[in-house]
Amino acid sequence: MGSFAYTWPFYAGFALAYLLGSIPFGLVLTRLAGLGDIRSIGSGNIGATNVLRTGNKKLAAATLILDGAKGAVAVLIAWQFGPDMAVLAAAGAILGHCFPVWLRFKGGKGVATTVGTWLALSWPVGLIVCASWLVVAAVTRYSSLAALIALALAPVAAWHFEGPQFAELGAFIAVLVWIRHHENIRRLLRGQEGRISFGGSKNKGET
């Protein structure tokens, strides 16, 4: 009974973070705006990049912010119970976004939610992730490549600032997000990945 009393709060915290992360804001917002099912256009993804394909930049921005915020909120609540709970909550929120139970486990690719969790877990790591994305995106104009590199750097930054526990989480997240970007990686290798247009045209890539 003592062991159960010790472990069940962690399972409960993970489950609650998963449910919070699984809220499909991109799908909800586009339906509320009368734009139909976002999964029926573009890549079929529920993330902000695909929402942008509707032509509604404000809706895409709102999706980006809310997807990041749900990861941050899950971690900030869990932090009240210690770093172990915060790490579990971060993993739960990202898994929820990528594999939401409401959508038959077919969700987004986790970049925005990951950024939100890192900013809440360790703001130096979060800022490094954001800065890395901005630099790589500005130089290459590949949003997906920027995300892949930024999240690959996160475990190194996490080890430096927070130690092995956070670095292990960063490695887990990086592997998960890289797997979720397998189609983007193939397009990058073929030279067919869409580039970011700073002039305002839509990006064909998907992060």
Side-chain angles (χ1 to χ4, degrees):
M1 186 68 175
S3 177
F4 177 79
Y6 173 77
T7 58
W8 78 261
F10 289 88
Y11 293 127
F14 177 85
L16 289 173
Y18 169 85
L19 292 174
L20 180 58
S22 69
I23 300 173
F25 284 112
L27 178 63
V28 172
L29 292 177
T30 49
R31 281 186 169 173
L32 289 175
L35 298 175
D37 192 334
I38 189 64
R39 296 170 297 177
S40 65
I41 69 169
S43 66
N45 196 271
I46 62 171
T49 303
N50 206 38
V51 173
L52 186 59
R53 290 190 174 95
T54 65
N56 193 319
K57 294 181 180 179
K58 291 182 179 179
L59 214 58
T63 300
L64 182 68
I65 292 169
L66 289 171
D67 280 346
K70 67 186 181 184
V73 169
V75 170
L76 290 173
I77 293 173
W79 256 124
Q80 309 306 310
F81 304 94
D84 290 346
M85 186 72 85
V87 167
L88 276 176
I94 295 166
L95 285 169
H97 178 78
C98 294
F99 308 104
V101 64
W102 328 109
L103 304 181
R104 298 181 180 179
F105 304 103
K106 296 179 181 178
K109 298 189 178 181
V111 176
T113 305
T114 296
V115 171
T117 61
W118 274 125
L119 288 171
L121 275 171
S122 172
W123 65 263
V125 178
L127 291 182
I128 288 172
V129 169
C130 292
S132 301
W133 187 94
L134 288 171
V135 170
V136 177
V139 172
T140 68
R141 294 196 294 121
Y142 286 123
S143 176
S144 57
L145 180 62
L148 293 171
I149 291 176
L151 295 188
L153 292 174
V156 180
W159 183 283
H160 176 74
F161 287 103
E162 305 294 345
Q165 183 183 34
F166 283 56
E168 289 170 3
L169 172 68
F172 166 76
I173 294 172
V175 170
L176 175 62
V177 174
W178 273 63
I179 291 172
R180 297 292 292 166
H181 279 76
H182 63 92
E183 293 178 357
N184 302 81
I185 294 172
R186 291 195 186 101
R187 289 196 296 268
L188 284 166
L189 293 173
R190 294 196 300 261
Q192 298 174 345
E193 179 74 333
R195 292 178 183 265
I196 300 170
S197 173
F198 296 106
S201 62
K202 297 175 185 176
N203 174 25
K204 295 179 182 179
E206 174 63 36
T207 63

